[in-house]
Amino acid sequence: MLLSLSEAEEANREQFEYLADCLLKRGQTDPKTQEVFPAPSARALVDRFGGNKITANERMEEFFAILARSMDTTPPVVGDIPEAVVQAMGAVMEQARLAAKAELDLSIAAYESERAEFKAEREKLQARLDELETAYAAERSAHKQAKERAEEHRAVAQEREAVHESLTAELAQAQGACEKLQVENKQLTKSLEAVNAQSSGATEKLRALQSKVDELQRLNVSLEKQMTELAAHRENASSRSGQLSEDNKELSSELDTVRAELLTAEKRRVATLERLQKAQAEIYSLKADVSEKSAELKRMVQSLQQVKKESSTG
């Protein structure tokens, strides 16, 4: 239909021919496709061939350039055609040209309207794009600040985790020392019980010896009375008195030994009791220290959980 196309325009011949059909057959129905030809416009090209309005507008500009170039071509040589026929044909062609020009003016007006609409839409989209770029820049700045805050929180969390691990290790060490002291306390308690039992046994033995000494003293008194009463039996009584004196010395020596053992046991009991009291004081101190560190550890754990929560929220 359109024959005067350049090599660059040949690639879009189908679109240009469709626009020419729309220009010549506007409102008519295509017998093949039953399609009603619309006015030539960028929207008609998009509806028929797809693509976007920018490319369609470029095709429309090329199409109007082709029409203008076709209308400016030199009229054909009439040859031997009679002048009246030439004039009649000229009048018909002039009417056709005027009709085509009127149709072209309408198409150009529609094109200009669509172009203005496209320009307004593009300006609107550009304004929206500027808003989105501004919002994106603000969002990116906020994201950067949030990332920096998250890094700070992460550093604080790592530092607190290190402190938490140190306190946990120290707490475990303190608990181990406390358990060791508790075991030693049990051993000292058993040792003290043994010393107390030994002291009780020595006390009972001392009481028995004291009772025996008292009995011997009473017996000595009785023997002395018998010595005075039985003067005739002095030699036998003297011998018996000497023997009793030896027994008394032996018992006195044994009594001194028992007293020394009792004194030693008492010293051991007092020393053991002092060690037990010292161990109990250390245990109480360690328990207080462990309680204090446990409370500090709980505070650190709560603070660490709060920091993690803030970090995850941020």
Side-chain angles (χ1 to χ4, degrees):
M1 185 176 293
L2 295 176
L3 301 178
S4 58
L5 298 179
S6 66
E7 293 181 358
E9 294 168 345
E10 281 291 342
N12 302 305
R13 172 179 286 275
E14 185 179 1
Q15 297 184 21
F16 294 148
E17 289 182 350
Y18 175 70
L19 290 173
D21 287 339
C22 290
L23 181 63
L24 297 175
K25 302 176 183 179
R26 179 179 179 182
Q28 299 181 22
T29 302
D30 189 344
K32 296 181 180 179
T33 61
Q34 299 301 316
E35 176 186 5
V36 178
F37 288 101
S41 64
R43 186 181 303 278
L45 285 177
V46 172
D47 293 341
R48 178 67 178 269
F49 299 98
N52 54 63
K53 274 193 173 183
I54 296 177
T55 305
N57 281 320
E58 292 176 356
R59 298 289 87 80
M60 289 297 298
E61 291 177 357
E62 294 173 358
F63 174 69
F64 289 129
I66 293 169
L67 286 182
R69 188 170 68 241
S70 299
M71 294 178 67
D72 292 338
T73 56
T74 304
V77 178
V78 295
D80 296 332
I81 300 174
E83 183 66 24
V85 175
V86 171
Q87 291 179 357
M89 291 176 61
V92 173
M93 290 299 296
E94 181 65 19
Q95 291 178 358
R97 188 183 70 80
L98 292 175
K101 187 177 184 301
E103 189 73 21
L104 179 62
D105 291 339
L106 292 175
S107 298
I108 291 173
Y111 164 73
E112 291 296 335
S113 176
E114 288 188 359
R115 187 175 182 180
E117 180 183 351
F118 169 74
K119 183 178 180 180
E121 184 177 358
R122 185 176 62 181
E123 291 176 353
K124 183 178 180 182
L125 291 175
Q126 184 64 40
R128 179 58 179 166
L129 179 61
D130 294 339
E131 293 178 359
L132 290 176
E133 287 180 350
T134 303
Y136 173 71
E139 184 68 21
R140 187 169 59 182
S141 176
H143 176 70
K144 183 178 179 181
Q145 294 178 359
K147 186 177 180 181
E148 291 176 354
R149 289 197 300 270
E151 291 294 335
E152 294 177 357
H153 289 319
R154 187 179 293 109
V156 173
Q158 290 176 353
E159 182 180 356
R160 293 189 177 180
E161 284 180 357
V163 174
H164 175 265
E165 291 176 357
S166 176
L167 289 175
T168 302
E170 189 175 352
L171 178 61
Q173 184 178 1
Q175 288 177 346
C178 181
E179 291 175 356
K180 185 177 179 181
L181 286 174
Q182 287 177 351
V183 172
E184 186 177 356
N185 183 25
K186 290 180 181 180
Q187 293 176 353
L188 290 174
T189 303
K190 290 181 180 179
S191 178
L192 180 61
E193 291 176 354
V195 169
N196 288 333
Q198 186 178 0
S199 176
S200 299
T203 302
E204 292 295 330
K205 188 175 181 181
L206 180 61
R207 289 178 181 175
L209 289 174
Q210 187 65 41
S211 177
K212 191 173 182 181
V213 168
D214 293 340
E215 182 67 23
L216 288 174
Q217 287 178 352
R218 288 194 297 271
L219 183 59
N220 191 17
V221 172
S222 177
L223 288 174
E224 287 178 356
K225 289 181 179 180
Q226 289 180 7
M227 287 175 63
T228 56
E229 292 178 355
L230 301 172
H233 303 284
R234 184 182 295 271
E235 292 180 0
N236 292 333
S238 297
S239 177
R240 189 176 180 184
S241 176
Q243 184 65 35
L244 290 174
S245 296
E246 291 295 331
D247 292 340
N248 190 16
K249 289 179 181 180
E250 292 178 1
L251 290 173
S252 296
S253 176
E254 187 177 357
L255 179 61
D256 292 337
T257 301
V258 172
R259 285 178 177 174
E261 291 178 356
L262 182 61
L263 181 61
T264 301
E266 182 65 20
K267 289 180 179 180
R268 287 177 60 190
R269 186 184 69 82
V270 172
T272 302
L273 183 60
E274 290 177 354
R275 288 176 60 194
L276 179 62
Q277 291 176 351
K278 184 177 179 181
Q280 288 178 348
E282 290 180 358
I283 289 173
Y284 291 148
S285 177
L286 279 174
K287 284 183 176 180
D289 192 14
V290 167
S291 176
E292 183 178 356
K293 289 182 178 180
S294 297
E296 185 179 357
L297 182 60
K298 288 181 179 179
R299 290 194 299 270
M300 292 296 295
V301 169
Q302 292 176 356
S303 177
L304 181 60
Q305 291 176 351
Q306 182 66 26
V307 169
K308 287 183 176 179
K309 184 177 180 182
E310 292 177 357
S311 178
S312 63
T313 304

